[in-house]
Amino acid sequence: MLAFCLGIWLFSRVPVLPPWPVSNVVWLLLLVAVLLPSLWWWLPVNRWRLPLLTGLALILGLVWCWLHAVRQLEQQLPRELEGVDFWGAGQIVSLPSPRGQFQQFELTLKSVCFRLHPRDCPPSTGGSETANSAVAATSAAAATSAAAAKMAGARITLNEYTGLTLWPGEHWRFRVRLNRPHGFANPGGYDFEAALFQRGIIARGYVRDTVFNERLTAAGPGLQSARAGLRARLYQQAATLTHRGVLSALILGDRDGVSAAQWQLLTQTGTNHLLVISGLHVGFVAMTAYALVNLLVRLLPALLLWLPAQHYGALAAITAALVYSALAGFSLPTQRALVMVLVLMSGQLLGRRFMPSYSLLLAATLVLLLAPMSVTQAGFWLSFTAVGALLFAFTGYRRAPAEQGAGLSRRGLWSRSWGRSWQQSGRDVWFRWLQPQWTVSLGLLLPLLLWTGQVSLISPLVNVLAIPLVSLLIVPLALLGALLLVSLPALASGPLWLADRLLAWLFTGLDIAAGLGPALWQPAPPTALTMVLAMLAVLLMLAPRGLVPGRTSWLLPLCLFAPLLWPADRPRPAPGEAQLQFLDVGQGLAVVVHTRHHHLVFDTGPALGPQFDTGRAVITPYLRMRDVRQLDMLIISHWHQDHSGGAASVMAQFPVRQRLAGGAMAGGAVAGSAMAGTAAEPGFERCRAGQRWRWDGVDFEILHPATDVYRGENNNACVLLITAGSQRALLTGDIEQAAEHDLLRRYSREPAALRADILQAAHHGSASSSSPAFVQTVQPTLTVVSAGYRNRFDHPAPDVVQRLRANGSVVCETPRTGAVQIELGAADGPRLSATHRQRYRRFWHNIPPNDYGKVATVSAGGDICGRDRDGGWLVDAADNSVFHSGDCDCH
């Protein structure tokens, strides 16, 4: 089992899948699956038997993960259909999630149709148009249709903006526009594409606004429909409750109602696992059901003639875990807990006691058998590490009967003394409550540092009180309220109100605990050697009693922890050199500049909603990974939200010594601007041409703006020139041709002053910037374009890219490369040292080709309008998608 799990993990590290079709992989899997048990039975017991069988199990894990991956990738959205409108019919399979201006849901596709009018589509009972249909008029259309036919049964994520009433289980036909899953790719960042691949999401997009979107069938009885009904009743009944969103998370695993501030507080105190349906809650519910049924069935002796009381308890535990996991929609954490309950209770039903390590490995094997890609998610490692730490720490030597009897006699004597009685009570509290929390916290130390870069210092003490409160009081009350909502709604308000009051006390206590001092420890990223030494220290500290002899058994682990507590200095640029990191923030800009002892952030990327911005999601994790404790300067080129959206989050996490900002805004958005702006933050000094400073032998100079007479916010953006020796980098923000012409005019007598080896393409490579004269004057050897994947502005413009390449510049586009790292000032010249997508490539990552298309510049929405008089091709109202139809009326 261990070799099988290891094989799955090894395959998850593969950058590109071998070019084998599904059928070949299936035959290979069958061969290994038949060979493994055959050799188990027929090989004689010798020294080669175990290594050979272990190797085959490893290969079995590799091939199983390979089959899962290649089957899902064969269903992925064809590139020809990205940004193209078509009809998709399917079933809503998730709870619609409100996200401010839109609602998000998951749809399992049953069929797709490329006709212009939905009445020309085949019945949506399954399947898709094939290459024999009218759409297959060309070989390219036939290939697209054949690829689309494989999408039947695939799952997509859609955003809906018009407020349609959606219900899980309903069948709909939507006019959709989709893209392949594509997330940010940055050092220290979250792999969003891995999470979507693990969930089986093959495309993301939105529903077009048209009157032809149609509900095909109503929702029938089903799990997701029942969950939606319970959520609706909960929000209706608990409208006056303060924490109804948290109650929904505890009952249904629906986190949408948990605010960002609440989630941040839970993270600081290490209690976020308590406020969702986690493995802990599923285990408590199962154990409670086991204990109650095991006790109650003994009151009915007739039942014991059929089965032992323990078997009834085991069946009740399995049923309770199954029902509670179903309430959560069988999310990945509940799947893991359910499998663990099944493994443990099967031992009861079979009359066998499995070794703890066997149970843990069997649970991990079953989880990876069902969902191989869960090995890429932090939850898998954290949950199994926590259980493994508890099993390892509490599998100690048992005291001999004589020792136990001596302990009982001593306790009898101590009971006569109040002091010794309190001493014994303290030991009981330690072993029953504090030691498990200490064990889990210590066991999760390294996984948390690897996955999140931070550890809650107060988590062990807070969880001692929070776990009993949530698991023994709040969760039972919430579940009782949910049961009453279904059966006796009039009585549900009492338990829900009491659970809400307990939650209020819990959050008040967490807020007090977080305010007592530093709640989070965020050390420097550990090296491989540091991690190995710290792992040995954790094992020694959790080792069962008697395994590490001596009275100073804590001394060796403390010494092994020293490199983690006092890390060595990280590699830094040499004096006179600078390192530039162009972060991948989508349709925005964020550049971090490092010198030997200083750090500068130029723009902070966009805010994509009230609970997400790239300052918190991209820049902060990157700076933590680089062990940056403070910023020497923060420059906001101008106050459009795609450049300043993450500023508040960055300033909240890091002290900033100096702040500069450009732009024409005095306190808000410019009226009529193309891009919504954010209010100018206080405490920023306006950047002006001529400002200069020098850090560690590297020179910085503001070249623009010189005056306040420029029209438009973009032309008032800061332009920063960085000089390391004879090498230069020019950061231009969003300046357009008017500002470029002003720079050329002011430096007309010394055009060499504008030359730079590295250029940040102005305004994301827009056609309104990077004029021929400006590009010829700068003469960059490398240009970085920071833009969003298939953005609606068509950035970068093809003419701009061609112009840069014609002038001898290499062009890096962040949608293709991810974050771009450049070394400036080195002896071998400006060096492109890393592109994140290529360096850390995995087979599920979406790496667009050089000529990948963009979406239409016309905004989405509007009804279909067109007439096919000659039986030819039609173009939709957005002037983007091509369809074929025998006849179509204009609506």
Side-chain angles (χ1 to χ4, degrees):
M1 290 187 293
L2 183 61
F4 177 80
C5 296
L6 180 61
I8 291 179
W9 177 80
L10 288 175
F11 195 85
S12 71
R13 315 298 295 174
V14 172
V16 181
L17 287 184
W20 276 29
V22 175
S23 58
N24 291 2
V25 182
V26 170
W27 282 112
L28 181 59
L29 179 66
L30 291 175
L31 175 63
V32 178
V34 171
L35 192 60
L36 183 61
S38 300
L39 293 178
W40 175 268
W41 288 108
W42 294 106
L43 274 182
V45 179
N46 55 39
R47 61 177 181 174
W48 299 108
R49 185 172 185 264
L50 182 60
L52 182 59
L53 295 175
T54 304
L56 282 175
L58 180 73
I59 296 173
L60 185 64
L62 287 166
V63 179
W64 178 250
C65 189
W66 185 4
L67 176 63
H68 180 273
V70 73
R71 288 180 60 190
Q72 185 165 327
L73 288 177
E74 278 202 346
Q75 284 190 311
Q76 68 182 342
L77 181 73
R79 291 206 180 273
E80 305 83 46
L81 294 182
E82 286 192 288
V84 172
D85 295 352
F86 59 90
W87 296 102
Q91 183 180 23
I92 299 175
V93 293
S94 70
L95 294 177
S97 173
R99 301 292 178 90
Q101 297 180 349
F102 61 92
Q103 56 180 332
Q104 188 176 91
F105 62 96
E106 293 180 9
L107 184 82
T108 296
L109 287 173
K110 304 299 182 182
S111 64
V112 296
C113 174
F114 300 95
R115 304 297 185 94
L116 180 60
H117 199 288
R119 73 183 181 193
D120 296 327
C121 293
S124 301
T125 56
S128 303
E129 287 187 306
T130 63
N132 295 325
S133 64
V135 73
T138 65
S139 58
T144 299
S145 183
K150 297 180 180 179
M151 294 169 56
R155 180 172 291 197
I156 62 176
T157 299
L158 292 174
N159 296 341
E160 198 280 319
Y161 291 85
T162 60
L164 293 175
T165 302
L166 304 175
W167 197 264
E170 293 178 335
H171 287 77
W172 279 77
R173 180 191 288 119
F174 294 113
R175 186 167 177 245
V176 298
R177 177 175 292 180
L178 302 176
N179 285 321
R180 289 187 175 188
H182 192 90
F184 302 141
N186 297 285
Y190 176 63
D191 193 344
F192 182 61
E193 294 175 43
L196 292 180
F197 193 82
Q198 185 271 322
R199 290 163 48 197
I201 303 296
I202 61 108
R204 302 173 70 229
Y206 62 94
V207 177
R208 296 298 304 272
D209 182 11
T210 171
V211 297
F212 297 109
N213 292 326
E214 179 185 7
R215 181 187 289 108
L216 302 177
T217 62
L223 174 61
Q224 295 298 340
S225 180
R227 295 180 69 225
L230 183 57
R231 184 176 71 169
R233 292 175 184 174
L234 174 64
Y235 274 83
Q236 181 180 6
Q237 184 80 13
T240 59
L241 300 184
T242 307
H243 300 90
R244 57 183 179 274
V246 180
L247 289 173
S248 178
L250 288 172
I251 297 172
L252 299 169
D254 174 29
R255 305 184 186 183
D256 294 329
V258 182
S259 66
Q262 288 174 328
W263 198 254
Q264 179 65 24
L265 179 60
L266 295 171
T267 302
Q268 288 180 348
T269 55
T271 54
N272 45 7
H273 64 100
L274 294 177
L275 271 299
V276 294
I277 297 182
S278 64
L280 177 67
H281 299 330
V282 175
F284 265 113
V285 169
M287 293 302 103
T288 301
Y290 177 88
L292 287 177
V293 173
N294 188 21
L295 177 63
L296 293 176
V297 79
R298 296 174 190 271
L299 302 178
L300 302 171
L303 294 177
L304 298 179
L305 298 176
W306 296 89
L307 288 174
Q310 294 86 347
H311 287 195
Y312 286 107
L315 292 174
I318 292 174
T319 303
L322 189 63
V323 171
Y324 197 27
S325 300
L327 282 176
F330 291 107
S331 61
L332 186 61
T334 58
Q335 288 181 26
R336 291 191 294 267
L338 179 60
V339 169
M340 287 290 292
V341 171
L342 288 173
V343 170
L344 293 175
M345 293 300 110
S346 63
Q348 287 280 352
L349 294 174
L350 296 175
R352 298 185 59 183
R353 289 180 61 88
F354 297 129
M355 290 186 299
S357 59
Y358 181 87
S359 301
L360 186 67
L361 275 178
L362 181 58
T365 302
L366 292 176
V367 167
L368 293 183
L369 193 64
L370 296 173
M373 291 309 298
S374 61
V375 76
T376 64
Q377 299 304 297
F380 173 85
W381 296 97
L382 295 177
S383 60
F384 279 100
T385 301
V387 176
L390 288 171
L391 294 178
F392 179 65
F394 287 93
T395 309
Y397 296 106
R398 296 183 180 272
R399 291 187 297 181
E403 185 182 354
Q404 293 178 2
L408 289 174
S409 62
R410 285 196 298 269
R411 280 197 296 271
L413 294 175
W414 286 345
S415 63
R416 302 172 186 174
S417 170
W418 284 100
R420 293 190 175 184
S421 178
W422 281 107
Q423 182 182 6
Q424 184 63 32
S425 299
R427 290 182 179 181
D428 290 341
V429 169
W430 162 253
F431 285 112
R432 293 182 181 181
W433 295 104
L434 296 180
Q435 190 178 14
Q437 295 305 319
W438 160 258
T439 299
V440 171
S441 299
L442 193 61
L444 293 181
L445 174 64
L446 297 182
L448 285 172
L449 288 180
L450 283 176
W451 285 97
T452 67
Q454 60 187 18
V455 175
S456 175
L457 296 175
I458 61 176
S459 172
L461 296 178
V462 170
N463 276 288
V464 168
L465 300 177
I467 287 179
L469 177 63
V470 174
S471 297
L472 300 181
L473 292 177
I474 296 177
V475 169
L477 286 170
L479 292 178
L480 177 60
L483 179 63
L484 293 175
L485 279 175
V486 177
S487 56
L488 299 171
L491 302 178
S493 57
L496 292 176
W497 178 87
L498 186 55
D500 183 72
R501 290 299 86 206
L502 292 174
L503 283 172
W505 296 343
L506 174 66
F507 277 103
T508 300
L510 294 180
D511 192 49
I512 294 173
L516 294 178
L520 288 177
W521 178 43
Q522 298 170 324
T527 62
L529 178 59
T530 301
M531 292 298 294
V532 171
L533 295 177
M535 187 182 302
L536 290 175
V538 170
L539 291 175
L540 290 175
M541 297 183 74
L542 295 181
R545 188 165 59 97
L547 187 62
V548 181
R551 296 185 177 181
T552 58
S553 57
W554 53 268
L555 185 59
L556 179 58
L558 185 61
C559 294
L560 295 175
F561 265 129
L564 184 63
L565 300 175
W566 294 279
D569 289 340
R570 306 290 293 180
R572 294 178 294 177
E577 298 181 8
Q579 184 182 88
L580 280 70
Q581 190 76 245
F582 291 81
L583 296 174
D584 179 13
V585 293
Q587 188 66 16
L589 178 66
V591 186
V592 182
V593 183
H594 305 279
T595 65
R596 181 68 176 175
H597 300 292
H598 297 80
H599 311 280
L600 178 148
V601 172
F602 186 90
D603 282 346
T604 57
L608 304 180
Q611 298 188 5
F612 184 90
D613 64 78
T614 51
R616 178 169 56 234
V618 175
I619 301 176
T620 296
Y622 168 74
L623 294 177
R624 296 293 186 200
M625 188 209 69
R626 292 296 300 262
D627 195 26
V628 175
R629 300 298 176 179
Q630 74 168 8
L631 295 175
D632 297 279
M633 184 172 292
L634 172 62
I635 299 179
I636 302 299
S637 64
H638 62 298
W639 292 102
H640 279 167
Q641 72 89 20
D642 57 332
H643 293 252
S644 61
S649 294
V650 171
M651 290 186 294
Q653 293 293 325
F654 300 93
V656 181
R657 298 180 60 183
Q658 187 175 358
R659 307 173 188 179
L660 294 179
M665 295 183 187
V670 175
S673 61
M675 179 75 72
T678 57
E681 295 279 350
F684 278 84
E685 176 187 354
R686 182 170 177 78
C687 60
R688 297 185 182 278
Q691 293 173 314
R692 297 182 179 88
W693 64 94
R694 185 180 179 88
W695 289 341
D696 308 317
V698 179
D699 295 312
F700 298 80
E701 181 180 0
I702 299 294
L703 302 184
H704 185 82
T707 64
D708 293 328
V709 297
Y710 307 103
R711 293 190 58 188
E713 179 73 2
N714 287 341
N715 283 321
N716 289 276
C718 301
V719 175
L720 177 66
L721 179 66
I722 305 169
T723 305
S726 60
Q727 301 165 26
R728 295 170 137 198
L730 188 63
L731 307 182
T732 57
D734 268 2
I735 63 169
E736 298 177 347
Q737 293 187 13
E740 292 176 354
H741 293 160
D742 183 70
L743 282 169
L744 293 175
R745 177 185 57 80
R746 288 192 285 115
Y747 289 94
S748 59
R749 296 186 178 181
E750 44 176 349
L754 288 178
R755 288 177 184 167
D757 304 276
I758 309 299
L759 174 66
Q760 172 249 315
H763 201 189
H764 320 289
S766 167
S768 63
S769 305
S770 302
S771 61
F774 186 75
V775 172
Q776 291 173 5
T777 301
V778 176
Q779 297 181 5
T781 59
L782 174 65
T783 303
V784 180
V785 180
S786 182
Y789 176 67
R790 299 188 58 81
N791 62 85
R792 64 189 179 94
F793 304 102
D794 199 25
H795 294 160
D799 292 344
V800 171
V801 175
Q802 180 60 32
R803 184 180 305 143
L804 290 165
R805 289 173 177 166
N807 280 271
S809 176
V810 175
V811 179
C812 288
E813 302 176 32
T814 55
R816 295 193 67 250
T817 63
V820 178
Q821 181 174 301
I822 298 172
E823 313 295 333
L824 197 67
D828 54 351
R831 180 165 49 89
L832 177 63
S833 55
T835 55
H836 191 80
R837 282 195 179 271
Q838 282 66 35
R839 171 178 282 188
Y840 300 99
R841 182 173 182 177
R842 296 292 180 264
F843 59 81
W844 59 81
H845 286 161
N846 177 34
I847 300 184
N850 286 321
D851 57 346
Y852 76 97
K854 311 293 191 301
V855 302
T857 56
V858 181
S859 61
D863 292 341
I864 299 172
C865 186
R867 181 181 296 275
D868 185 359
R869 299 184 182 275
D870 303 320
W873 295 96
L874 283 176
V875 179
D876 76 344
D879 197 25
N880 181 56
S881 303
V882 180
F883 303 90
H884 188 277
S885 178
D887 180 49
C888 181
D889 296 328
C890 190
H891 300 271

